[in-house]
Amino acid sequence: MEKGDGPALQPLLCLAWLAATLPILAAALPIPAAAGGRLLHSLLAAFSSRGKTVRPSSSSSKAFTVPQKYFLHFYVVGVAVTTSLLLAICFYAYMEMTPLLPEPSSYSTIASHLIGSNSFSFGSVLSRTMEHKYRVWRTVFVLLLMEIQVLRRLYETENVFHYSPSARMHIVGYLTGLFYYTATPLSLASSCLPEAIDFIRGQIVEFIVKGRARMPDLVIDSPSLLKPLLKLGWCQWIGAIIFSWGSLHQIRCHAILGSLRENKDSDEYVIPCGDWFSHVSCPHYLAELVIYLGMLIASGGSDISVWFLFIFVITNLSFAAVQTHRWYLQKFEDYPRSRYAIIPFVL
């Protein structure tokens, strides 16, 4: 990937997120049945169905489905992609973007450059350089948050959830999950991924040409690796706090859901209670929105592909939450009518 071709990555990701979001938005609109609104909604509901929301009488419960335990594949893919991108961009940041701030001893050198030169243009170049370094290290920070998320979800899928042997999900939903956990880390890294790949490619070429004996030893200095992350702006730390808050509640809600089916062979469902379940039917989805809001804030909000990712998360989880909420209302006569689907007092 050449440097000049790098910016094409973000538009491509935006188009992919848009293509995934528009059908969900269309299915949520009150389109007349004569215009295909009911058919579109039924298709999307079938494609997104999983577990208890798969209708036993529908053909999708028998054909074009996979076991719900295949959720594990999402997080295996997510861990593999996120870890690869994190290592690549972290290596690039450490080798090319360290230190994040000029050392005190370098200020005299900077001052000497300013003498007899256009100080405004030099200051502009210095500012752009600093901004670029911040952007790369900010990407490392956000990918660290994503790594925490996918590793936790991988652990929960294996140790917290107890999927029924009969639980299924539609193959379209399965493929969408694989797409999501591939495109999400790519979107979070898209602002500097092309240049990181270009740098690593150059390092590989240099290694092949020079040979191992003539290459300098790679020494990892832990303080130099951690200092840039600790010197990031307030957006990153506020985003991390929001991310942690959402993660804490999602852990609690997943534990509640997992405890409802301690008998792995049972298909019996009960009304979940506790934590955010007091307010909404799908608090684990609400927590997911909070988690990705934290990532959006931590990213600085300057990458359009991250905004498109967040819009998809909102539409996808809202649609799934409404389907789950309706299922609860139909399944349990004593289901709390005060609960909302996903966002209190809104939806």
Side-chain angles (χ1 to χ4, degrees):
M1 183 183 298
E2 299 297 330
K3 287 184 179 180
D5 297 333
L9 177 62
Q10 285 191 330
L12 185 62
L13 287 166
C14 290
L15 285 174
W17 289 122
L18 188 62
T21 303
L22 286 179
I24 304 174
L25 288 175
L29 294 174
I31 301 174
R38 183 177 299 175
L39 176 62
L40 180 60
H41 186 277
S42 298
L43 284 174
L44 261 294
F47 292 160
S48 64
S49 63
R50 55 180 178 264
K52 56 182 173 289
T53 60
V54 175
R55 298 179 181 177
S57 60
S58 66
S59 59
S60 64
S61 64
K62 299 178 181 179
F64 306 112
T65 63
V66 296
Q68 193 178 7
K69 64 182 180 181
Y70 282 12
F71 256 77
L72 179 69
H73 300 173
F74 300 161
Y75 309 120
V76 170
V77 169
V79 168
V81 177
T82 305
T83 302
S84 300
L85 295 177
L86 178 60
L87 290 176
I89 295 179
C90 193
F91 175 69
Y92 170 61
Y94 179 76
M95 297 297 291
E96 293 291 293
M97 304 294 161
T98 305
L100 181 61
L101 297 174
E103 297 296 332
S105 59
S106 66
Y107 284 117
S108 58
T109 304
I110 294 174
S112 65
H113 279 87
L114 291 174
I115 298 174
S117 67
N118 188 328
S119 60
F120 178 80
S121 62
F122 184 85
S124 178
V125 171
L126 182 61
S127 177
R128 288 196 299 271
T129 301
M130 293 299 301
E131 183 180 348
H132 181 61
K133 287 185 176 182
Y134 268 105
R135 178 165 56 83
V136 174
W137 280 106
R138 187 174 63 214
T139 301
V140 173
F141 187 85
V142 175
L143 284 174
L144 281 172
L145 297 182
M146 185 64 189
E147 182 82 351
I148 292 170
Q149 171 72 356
V150 291
L151 284 173
R152 177 178 62 79
R153 295 302 301 274
L154 179 64
Y155 171 83
E156 288 177 336
T157 303
E158 277 287 271
N159 300 282
V160 176
F161 291 110
H162 309 294
Y163 295 116
S164 167
S166 62
R168 313 286 294 180
M169 64 176 165
H170 200 281
I171 187 65
V172 173
Y174 174 71
L175 295 176
T176 300
L178 295 178
F179 157 76
Y180 177 83
Y181 282 99
T182 301
T184 294
L186 283 172
S187 297
L188 296 174
S190 62
S191 65
C192 60
L193 179 58
E195 61 191 81
I197 292 177
D198 190 70
F199 172 77
I200 292 172
R201 178 182 295 170
Q203 293 292 299
I204 293 173
V205 170
E206 186 178 1
F207 179 84
I208 294 173
V209 172
K210 291 184 176 181
R212 175 66 185 90
R214 298 176 61 187
M215 290 291 290
D217 293 331
L218 177 62
V219 179
I220 304 296
D221 180 28
S222 298
S224 297
L225 190 60
L226 293 176
K227 277 182 181 179
L229 296 175
L230 297 176
K231 292 179 179 179
L232 292 174
W234 61 269
C235 274
Q236 284 66 58
W237 295 109
I238 290 179
I241 291 171
I242 295 173
F243 171 90
S244 301
W245 181 51
S247 297
L248 177 62
H249 281 284
Q250 192 170 65
I251 289 169
R252 291 175 178 173
C253 294
H254 283 167
I256 292 170
L257 289 173
S259 67
L260 298 180
R261 296 198 65 259
E262 292 181 350
N263 183 0
K264 298 182 181 181
D265 297 324
S266 173
D267 287 326
E268 182 182 355
Y269 289 97
V270 297
I271 299 175
C273 299
D275 201 72
W276 285 352
F277 277 106
S278 302
H279 307 287
V280 295
S281 295
C282 299
H284 49 311
Y285 292 167
L286 174 59
E288 190 97 348
L289 295 183
V290 174
I291 287 169
Y292 281 92
L293 174 62
M295 289 191 196
L296 174 63
I297 294 173
S299 73
S302 59
D303 297 332
I304 188 65
S305 58
V306 181
W307 280 100
F308 273 86
L309 158 64
F310 187 59
I311 292 170
F312 172 79
V313 171
I314 294 173
T315 54
N316 181 54
L317 293 183
S318 296
F319 185 85
V322 168
Q323 302 305 309
T324 302
H325 183 66
R326 288 175 179 170
W327 182 90
Y328 277 128
L329 291 173
Q330 295 172 359
K331 177 73 174 178
F332 303 103
E333 294 182 358
D334 58 341
Y335 191 75
R337 304 289 165 170
S338 60
R339 291 188 188 180
Y340 289 79
I342 184 171
I343 303 174
F345 311 109
V346 177
L347 180 65

